[in-house]
Amino acid sequence: MPDSCPQERLRSSYWRADNLEQRLSCQSLLDGHHWFTRERLIYLAGAENYEPELSGLLTISPDLKHYLLTGEQRKPVYSLDFPAELITTAMDWEDLVLPSEILENVEEIHTWIEHGETLLEDWGMKKKLKPGYRALFYGPPGTGKTLTATLLGKSTGRDVYRIDLSKVVSKYIGETEKNLAKIFDLAQNRNWILFFDEADALFGKRTKVSSSHDKYANQEVSYLLQRIEEFPGVAILASNMRGNLDEAFSRRFQSFIHFPIPKPQERLQIWQKSFSKMSKLEKDIDLNEISEKYEISGGGVMNVIRYSSLLALSRKSNEILLSDLETGIKKEFQKEGRTV
């Protein structure tokens, strides 16, 4: 028997604005506790001040939209809404020169990435251990902190996002927390490694509250500590000096790894591995002597090699001269306020 009122039945299947039960049910999908909004998949945006919350624009996450259209997960790019950048490297572990004790500590992070979920879920340790892994890399610039974090991601198939805290920290009250929230909200349920560079910009020793500025600076540190503790992934902080960091960090981190200036034998390995195979060294160059004589970081060595290689190319030659290296080393020392 034909349906006498098909249009009425169709209309009754839609959500109706004047149906209080349906409105409340819909509203529950968009509150902060539902996984729609918790995962930032679908949310309300753009509601003006003093207007009802549900008057905001119903918005679908750009990441979800990209996945539905392409079947691939979108990798966010650096922007005001996401102040972090994806970092990669063409290098491998054998290209990294570090003391064995440092590599052993780094291996602990690698082991957590590989087996942490099994420990929490299958071994039933989720009630006793907090999720995620937190590490501090500290030491002078150019000693391998960023490269190590990038290689951890490369070797475990995880994206590594670098957050330059010197750029995230804002002079405006509340803006630093908002910038950090954007990063943590997006990274919350992705298998990312978050690498906080220039941590001294925010993670310095908290001061006594003698002004409103001190008060809000301390709030920023507390907020970041809270979000890092809640983050289920791997968070790595990089600092030039461990002594600059607040004591409160010690109990929240699983490991503190010191990246020192390489010793002469380590510097020799870096020099030997870093020149282009297309170049040749002048016969007067003794890398053993240079390694012993000049205390310089791995990053500094690469700057010297870049400088001297470009000089050779400018001469339409592939031979790197001793004078090229010595000039490059002098420039590196001057950058650090040192003399050769």
Side-chain angles (χ1 to χ4, degrees):
M1 182 175 180
D3 193 332
S4 59
C5 241
Q7 291 183 341
E8 185 62 32
R9 288 183 178 273
L10 183 61
R11 281 196 297 269
S12 67
S13 66
Y14 289 112
W15 292 93
R16 294 174 57 90
D18 60 353
N19 186 313
L20 180 59
E21 183 179 351
Q22 289 183 342
R23 283 171 60 86
L24 292 174
S25 177
C26 179
Q27 186 171 346
S28 70
L29 299 178
L30 299 171
D31 65 26
H33 301 289
H34 195 277
W35 66 274
F36 274 178
T37 49
R38 199 169 59 243
E39 308 289 344
R40 295 287 288 176
L41 299 178
I42 299 174
Y43 53 94
L44 289 170
E48 297 293 334
N49 290 335
Y50 309 112
E51 288 191 2
E53 184 179 354
L54 291 182
S55 67
L57 181 66
L58 186 61
T59 307
I60 184 172
S61 160
D63 296 319
L64 177 58
K65 180 169 63 177
H66 185 273
Y67 181 78
L68 292 174
L69 293 175
T70 67
E72 299 177 353
Q73 190 176 74
R74 184 178 75 103
K75 296 182 185 295
V77 295
Y78 188 95
S79 66
L80 291 176
D81 289 328
F82 185 72
E85 63 173 335
L86 177 67
I87 55 175
T88 59
T89 181
M91 300 177 75
D92 295 305
W93 286 114
E94 55 265 27
D95 299 311
L96 181 65
V97 178
L98 289 174
S100 58
E101 61 269 20
I102 296 179
L103 291 174
E104 289 175 6
N105 290 331
V106 172
E107 180 61 27
E108 181 182 336
I109 305 175
H110 190 283
T111 301
W112 171 267
I113 295 173
E114 294 287 345
H115 304 291
E117 186 174 352
T118 301
L119 177 64
L120 294 176
E121 300 294 341
D122 296 352
W123 282 35
M125 296 295 288
K126 193 172 183 178
K127 295 180 180 179
K128 302 177 181 179
L129 299 176
K130 290 185 178 180
Y133 193 101
R134 291 155 289 281
L136 171 71
F137 291 177
Y138 67 99
T143 49
K145 299 186 291 294
T146 301
L147 178 57
T148 300
T150 310
L151 287 173
L152 277 170
K154 181 178 181 179
S155 61
T156 57
R158 297 196 175 198
D159 289 337
V160 182
Y161 281 88
R162 176 170 57 195
I163 302 98
D164 187 340
L165 283 172
S166 65
K167 297 179 181 178
V168 171
V169 174
S170 173
K171 63 181 179 181
Y172 298 107
I173 294 173
E175 285 300 309
T176 299
E177 291 93 327
K178 289 181 182 178
N179 292 336
L180 291 168
K182 292 173 184 176
I183 296 169
F184 280 108
D185 288 347
L186 192 55
Q188 188 67 22
N189 294 293
R190 305 200 189 196
N191 289 324
W192 289 349
I193 295 174
L194 295 183
F195 180 70
F196 293 89
D197 204 5
E198 301 292 342
D200 300 294
L202 183 61
F203 288 77
K205 286 183 178 295
R206 284 181 280 191
T207 60
K208 293 182 180 179
V209 180
S210 58
S211 68
S212 60
H213 175 77
D214 294 335
K215 175 183 176 181
Y216 288 110
N218 290 347
Q219 286 180 359
E220 290 170 351
V221 175
S222 298
Y223 176 80
L224 189 51
L225 281 172
Q226 174 194 341
R227 292 304 302 261
I228 283 181
E229 277 198 294
E230 295 171 353
F231 182 57
V234 175
I236 300 173
L237 277 58
S239 171
N240 291 338
M241 295 179 64
R242 177 177 176 176
N244 289 344
L245 301 182
D246 193 299
E247 294 294 332
F249 288 93
S250 298
R251 64 178 181 273
R252 292 176 165 94
F253 284 71
Q254 278 70 49
S255 60
F256 288 75
I257 303 178
H258 181 219
F259 287 72
I261 291 290
K263 296 177 181 178
Q265 188 58 40
E266 293 157 359
R267 292 198 291 270
L268 177 60
Q269 292 181 53
I270 297 172
W271 282 110
Q272 291 172 335
K273 290 183 176 186
S274 300
F275 286 99
S276 168
K277 294 180 180 179
M278 300 295 293
S279 67
K280 64 178 183 178
L281 303 182
E282 184 184 23
K283 63 179 181 179
D284 292 336
I285 293 176
D286 184 343
L287 292 180
N288 279 287
E289 181 181 348
I290 290 174
S291 302
E292 287 283 348
K293 186 177 181 180
Y294 301 109
E295 186 181 78
I296 189 171
S297 69
V301 170
M302 293 308 304
N303 287 338
V304 173
I305 290 176
R306 179 201 297 266
Y307 173 80
S308 57
S309 299
L310 287 173
L311 281 182
L313 288 170
S314 70
R315 296 191 298 266
K316 295 182 171 46
S317 170
N318 69 337
E319 185 179 34
I320 294 175
L321 306 179
L322 176 60
S323 59
D324 298 339
L325 291 182
E326 290 176 338
T327 303
I329 291 170
K330 182 178 179 180
K331 289 171 67 70
E332 281 301 301
F333 274 52
Q334 288 174 341
K335 282 162 52 178
E336 300 174 11
R338 296 192 291 164
T339 56
V340 177

